[in-house]
Amino acid sequence: MTGSAVDARVALVRTLAGERADELELNTLLWHLDITADRRSAAERWLDSVRNQSGAYTRAFTFDSEVTAADILDSPYFAFGTVEDIVEHFRAMRARTGISYWALMPHHLAPFLPVLEALKTG
């Protein structure tokens, strides 16, 4: 879940790929999208729903250690914030991890359209 765990996985994949590392196209699934003015509160609400198993898909998540809102905000699996925040998040994740595309769940398609438009024009 955490950005640091993703960084470690990406480093392992690149190491195992050896000379082909620069040819890799990395991707991931966007588990949760929340377009909101308050990123931190949205991440905290999502974490609470996981801990209480009260939200959609939350039973799919288990944590090996305590995960904080900061961890979630630093993860490529989640996008919280304004359209501009999310665009910046994806760009930062791409620069840091090399992940170049995200698969979306069907219910994220319509809310993601403004983000997609901003990514295309920026």
Side-chain angles (χ1 to χ4, degrees):
M1 289 287 160
T2 65
S4 60
V6 172
D7 293 342
R9 286 186 195 115
V10 167
L12 176 63
V13 166
R14 290 193 179 287
T15 298
L16 294 173
E19 293 177 7
R20 298 177 303 125
D22 290 339
E23 299 170 27
L24 298 176
E25 185 170 11
L26 303 176
N27 72 86
T28 191
L29 174 65
L30 184 66
W31 276 98
H32 188 78
L33 170 69
D34 193 342
I35 297 178
T36 177
D38 190 343
R39 296 179 75 231
R40 181 159 301 279
S41 291
E44 289 169 355
R45 279 192 309 275
W46 185 86
L47 275 174
D48 286 343
S49 74
V50 170
R51 290 179 182 121
N52 300 325
Q53 295 189 342
S54 61
Y57 303 104
T58 57
R59 290 180 186 212
F61 295 97
T62 59
F63 303 122
D64 294 336
S65 61
E66 183 59 31
V67 176
T68 66
D71 293 327
I72 295 301
L73 293 171
D74 188 44
S75 174
Y77 304 122
F78 306 97
F80 296 93
T82 64
V83 168
E84 294 78 19
D85 291 335
I86 294 169
V87 166
E88 177 57 32
H89 177 68
F90 281 124
R91 288 184 176 144
M93 289 294 106
R94 183 176 186 155
R96 186 174 102 203
T97 66
I99 293 172
S100 59
Y101 72 89
W102 279 256
L104 303 176
M105 296 204 183
H107 63 279
H108 290 145
L109 294 176
F112 191 77
L113 287 176
V115 175
L116 181 61
E117 286 301 315
L119 284 166
K120 286 181 1 185
T121 60

